[in-house]
Structures are given as C-alpha cells and as structure tokens.
C-alpha cells in the first residue's frame, strides 16, 4: 500500500519555523508564523481564558459525548456575536450554527456541504489568499478559481478587476471572501465596496462564503462583523466560517463554528441536517473543552468585559507596531513607499519585495517571513523595529 507514496516536501511555514529555531543569532526576528505575540515574544493564555477554564473544570462532572453540533449554548452565543442578537436572519429562523474544530473545520464542512448541494460549483478564492484555503476547499472535490484581490507591489486592492472577474462566474458558484483582516494582505474592502460586491453576488446568483478568523483584530467585535451581518441581511443564502483561535488565543483547543443562512426556516433545518451528517462522517463531534471556555466567556458579563479589554490590547499592540514600522521605514528609506503598512488591518501585511529579498533578509539579517513576503506584525517589537527597518531598506 504505502510503496505508492513519495515523500512530500514539508509545509513551507513549518520549514521556516524549523530554520528560525536552528538560527543561533541573537538578532533573529520571527515575522513568519501566524500567531499573536506579546512584547516578550510569547503567545500568552488570555487571563479571561484562565479564569473561565478553572470554572469549567470545577463544574464538569462527565466527559461523556456532547453532540455532532457541539455545545448548543456555544452555538447560540457565537451566532449572536457574529450576527448580533436581533439580526433578521436570527429572528426569521434562517440561521443555524454548529461548533467545528477551529475555522479549518468550518471551512471544510462548508465545502462538503456545497459539494453535496452543487457538485459542479467552482469556489472562487482571492489572489492572494491564506495558504490553507485551496487545500481545505479543494479536497472536497470542488473546482477552484482565483479572483484578483490585491496588488502586492502597488500595495492596493484590485477591486475593479475583482468585480469584473466575478461578473463572469457561473450562477451557483461560490465566492470565498475574508470578512476582515485579510490574510496575507491586511487590505479589506470598504463598506461601500462590500455593498457593491453584495449587489453583484445577488444579481449573478453567486453564493457568499465568508471566512471570519480575526473578529476583533481589525477595529472591534461589532465593526469586524459588519460584512457578514450585511451579507446575511441582503442575500438569501450564505455560509460564515468562524475561528476563535486568534481572538481568544485558543489555537490548539480547536474552537470554531459554521453559520449557515438559508432562505427560510424549513430550508435551514434541511441544511442543518446535512451539516450534521457531514460532521459525523468526518470527525463525529468537535472537541468540547475550548468551546466550553469560549461559551463561559461569551455568557458571563465580567469575563466578557475582560476579554474585550484583552482583545483591544492585542489589536492595539500590532496597530502600534504597524505605525512604528512604517515610520521607521520612512526614515531608513527616505520615502513613503511603506506607509501602507500603517493603514492596513489585522496581523499581516505583504511587504511586497521579491523572494530574493526575502531570502537575503533571512540569510543576512536573520529576519524570517514567508516567501511571498508576508509579515506578522506581532513579531515586531520596539527593540527590533529599527533593525528590521534598516535591513528592509538595505535589501528591498
Ligand atoms: C484566513 C484564515 N481562515 C481560517 C483560519 C483557521 O484557523 P483555525 O483552524 O486555526 O481556527 C486561519 C488561521 O490562520 C486563517 O488565517
């Protein structure tokens, strides 16, 4: 059996992490891995998570199975957090939510659902997009295509080209859009661009699949959910994949959810039955521990207030580093070529330099980023920002 299988090359981000660990330089800077880091370079457990976890463990009396949909209270609270309690889709019972193993689980279950409903559909992904989108959606057997999204050397959205390309997509095709804090570019659609996109999706019969992995990392929990709320109001059907890996720092606990929006309550029940069967056939049930912690934080007013404070601090941390890096680059390059870093959102930006420059930054300066020149701004610290800016100025 296994003789057929050839060794695969290692995932490039894992390869990069290994190189970083092996680098003995005291100057080394990790801008590669996509996790939040505090000023000490740690990816901490949030205080609200520590407290909620203690309460969860103290109250737990069994490890018996929960359900294919996961925890019902988590699902209701996650849905509320994304759509808002009084969203028409909720009041009209058009929304259904299941807990999934992280955002990846939500994306994969969503892909399987689409494949069951419309096997010939093509999923249109942004160019560029997060490296795991194509494997997660493509492994369901759906066809993949790319729409222009961001120009990494001119540092701006390619919105007109995006709309033009999507005009040509077939009715029933799926358009996957990052709901906020686009990974890797940090460039999001404006409110009026979202409206234009919604109009196009509706007119052309295209299906929106939104990926919300960074709610609260852009502006605030509510503002970052504006696009999913608008889409769920204006279009009859949609899917929203949610991740709590970053905004609750629950990465390894695998906490996510999938919201489906259907045209009426009866259809929503039918969709939900397929979602549950899909979950059952892949992993049976999502892990409970992280979702129990998340549900406690969402439901308890004190924990939730403290979470928002911690979330604001994480966001401010990389917003400050964006401004600091942009201003240092202004000094070291004697120009405004990198000002865009200061105005983008979320943890990532594309520096927009060649793979050769990325390599020189690594080999000569011990600065690590992915080959597309994606930087995790949470890797920048006040003590290394000048060093990074000087290296970029020398090698760009
Ligand atoms: C754009 C995007 N979507 C989804 C995810 C899924 O994350 P997880 O499965 O760890 O919750 C990530 C994580 O990096 C992401 O960047």
């Amino acid at each position: 059996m296994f003789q057929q299988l050839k060794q695969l090359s290692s995932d490039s981000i894992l390869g990069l992490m290994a190189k970083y660990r092996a680098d003995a330089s005291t100057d080394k800077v990790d801008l590669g891995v996509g996790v939040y880091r505090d000023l000490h370079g740690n990816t901490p457990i949030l205080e609200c998570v520590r407290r909620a976890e203690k309460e969860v463990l103290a109250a737990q009396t069994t490890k018996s199975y929960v359900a294919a949909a996961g925890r019902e209270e988590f699902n209701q609270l996650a849905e509320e957090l994304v759509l808002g309690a009084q969203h028409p889709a909720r009041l009209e019972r058009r929304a259904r939510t299941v807990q999934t193993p992280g955002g990846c689980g939500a994306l994969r279950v969503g892909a399987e659902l689409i494949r069951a409903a419309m096997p010939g559909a093509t999923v249109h992904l942004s160019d560029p997009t997060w490296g795991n989108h194509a494997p997660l959606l493509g492994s369901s057997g759906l066809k993949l295509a790319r729409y222009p999204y961001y120009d990494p050397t001119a540092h701006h959205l390619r919105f007109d080209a995006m709309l033009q390309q999507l005009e040509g997509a077939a009715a029933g095709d799926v358009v996957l859009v990052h709901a906020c804090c686009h990974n890797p570019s940090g460039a999001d659609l404006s409110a009026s661009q979202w409206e234009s996109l919604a109009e196009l999706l509706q007119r052309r019969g295209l299906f929106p699949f939104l990926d919300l992995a960074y709610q609260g990392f852009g502006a605030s929990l509510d503002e970052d959910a504006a696009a999913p709320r608008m889409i769920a109001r204006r279009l009859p059907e949609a899917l929203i994949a949610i991740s709590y890996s970053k905004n609750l720092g629950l990465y390894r606990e695998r906490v996510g959810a999938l919201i489906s929006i259907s045209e009426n309550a009866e259809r929503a029940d039918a969709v939900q039955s397929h979602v549950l069967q899909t979950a059952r056939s892949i992993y049976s049930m999502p892990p409970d521990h992280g979702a129990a912690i998340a549900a406690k934080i969402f439901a308890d007013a004190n924990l939730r207030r403290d979470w928002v404070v911690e979330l604001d601090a994480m966001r401010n941390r990389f917003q400050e580093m964006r401004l600091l890096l942009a201003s240092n680059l202004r000094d070291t390059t004697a120009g405004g070529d990198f000002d865009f870093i200061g105005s983008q959102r979320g943890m990532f930006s594309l520096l927009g330099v060649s793979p050769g420059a990325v390599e020189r930054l690594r080999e000569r300066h011990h600065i690590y980023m992915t080959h597309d020149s994606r930087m995790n701004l949470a890797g920048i610290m006040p003590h290394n920002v000048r060093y990074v800016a000087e290296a970029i100025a020398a090698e760009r």
Side-chain angles (χ1 to χ4, degrees):
M1 177 65 77
F2 295 154
Q3 281 173 4
Q4 324 295 330
L5 300 178
K6 302 267 181 303
Q7 176 78 41
L8 296 174
S9 54
S10 71
D11 187 298
S12 66
I13 190 91
L14 298 180
L16 193 70
M17 281 163 74
K19 277 189 188 153
Y20 176 80
R21 275 195 302 271
D23 187 335
S25 167
T26 52
D27 292 333
K28 65 182 178 178
V29 181
D30 179 12
L31 306 180
V33 187
V35 297
Y36 173 77
R37 290 185 199 286
D38 64 17
L39 285 171
H40 309 289
N42 300 320
T43 303
I45 301 175
L46 299 187
E47 266 315 303
C48 62
V49 166
R50 280 195 191 282
R51 282 177 22 228
E53 186 167 43
K54 266 196 198 133
E55 291 180 28
V56 164
L57 289 174
Q60 201 165 57
T61 55
T62 178
K63 294 284 187 191
S64 179
Y65 294 121
V66 182
R71 280 188 171 252
E72 202 35 47
E73 78 268 25
F74 168 85
N75 292 335
Q76 286 311 312
L77 291 161
E79 190 180 291
E80 247 182 75
L81 199 63
V82 173
L83 294 178
Q86 299 301 318
H87 193 282
R90 282 171 57 81
L91 302 179
E92 293 157 14
R93 300 208 61 254
R94 297 195 296 120
R96 297 286 181 278
T97 302
V98 295
Q99 183 196 324
T100 55
C104 288
L107 288 162
R108 183 58 200 273
V109 169
E112 294 291 337
L113 178 73
I114 292 161
R115 167 92 177 160
M118 180 118 17
T122 295
V123 182
H124 299 262
L125 304 174
S126 66
D127 177 22
T129 195
W130 176 49
N132 213 15
H133 272 153
L136 277 170
L137 292 140
S139 56
S140 65
L142 290 165
K143 288 192 293 290
L144 302 179
R146 300 273 177 171
Y147 59 84
Y149 183 79
Y150 180 78
D151 183 332
T153 43
H155 317 298
H156 57 62
L157 283 174
R158 300 180 63 197
F159 187 62
D160 292 343
M162 170 180 175
L163 291 192
Q164 200 181 352
Q165 170 119 348
L166 293 177
E167 283 288 352
D173 274 1
V174 178
V175 184
L176 189 98
V177 196
H178 299 231
C180 69
C181 305
H182 185 271
N183 178 3
S185 74
D188 291 334
L189 302 185
S190 67
S192 72
Q193 287 171 327
W194 272 109
E195 292 284 344
S196 307
L197 177 65
E199 186 278 322
L200 185 154
L201 296 173
Q202 194 159 25
R203 180 167 46 76
R204 298 282 305 120
L206 301 173
F207 180 92
F209 194 167
L210 303 184
D211 184 358
L212 181 57
Y214 298 94
Q215 190 181 1
F217 270 26
S220 69
L221 286 170
D222 277 329
E223 287 166 273
D224 293 350
R229 289 175 189 182
M230 184 274 289
I231 292 284
R233 220 173 24 246
R234 284 194 51 173
L235 279 101
E237 299 181 331
L239 283 176
I240 307 164
I242 308 156
S243 165
Y244 293 105
S245 299
K246 320 286 162 129
N247 59 9
L248 278 169
L250 283 169
Y251 309 86
R252 65 173 67 168
E253 301 293 356
R254 314 306 300 132
V255 191
L258 180 68
I259 303 180
S260 60
I261 307 289
S262 303
E263 60 182 332
N264 57 45
E266 193 186 349
R267 187 66 53 208
D269 286 334
V271 167
Q272 181 78 340
S273 70
H274 282 267
V275 168
L276 294 178
Q277 191 184 57
T278 302
R280 207 66 186 121
S281 70
I282 308 180
Y283 51 79
S284 184
M285 293 178 194
D288 179 60
H289 186 66
I293 294 169
K296 191 153 265 314
I297 294 169
F298 299 160
D300 178 305
N302 284 332
L303 286 169
R304 183 156 165 157
R305 198 188 44 233
D306 294 351
W307 173 41
V308 170
V309 170
E310 290 187 87
L311 187 55
D312 289 351
M314 287 196 278
R315 183 178 63 248
N316 290 338
R317 151 107 175 87
F318 45 75
Q319 268 327 115
E320 280 165 21
M321 292 308 115
R322 283 183 174 281
L323 294 174
L324 197 59
L325 180 60
S327 80
N328 272 268
L329 280 164
R330 207 163 234 288
D331 293 346
T332 57
T333 63
D337 289 357
F338 295 100
D339 285 357
F340 69 93
I341 295 170
S343 56
Q344 292 179 337
R345 291 253 168 111
M347 263 190 338
F348 306 111
S349 278
L350 288 168
L351 189 56
V353 298
S354 67
V358 169
E359 198 177 317
R360 290 194 300 279
L361 284 166
R362 188 176 66 240
E363 299 300 324
R364 296 181 183 165
H365 307 273
H366 315 277
I367 297 171
Y368 290 73
M369 59 184 81
T370 48
H371 64 91
D372 55 355
S373 74
R374 186 190 80 167
M375 301 179 294
N376 175 2
L377 277 305
I380 300 281
M381 312 285 164
H383 73 262
N384 69 21
V385 65
R386 190 72 185 184
Y387 174 77
V388 171
E390 281 170 359
I392 292 172
E395 304 298 346
R396 71 185 168 129

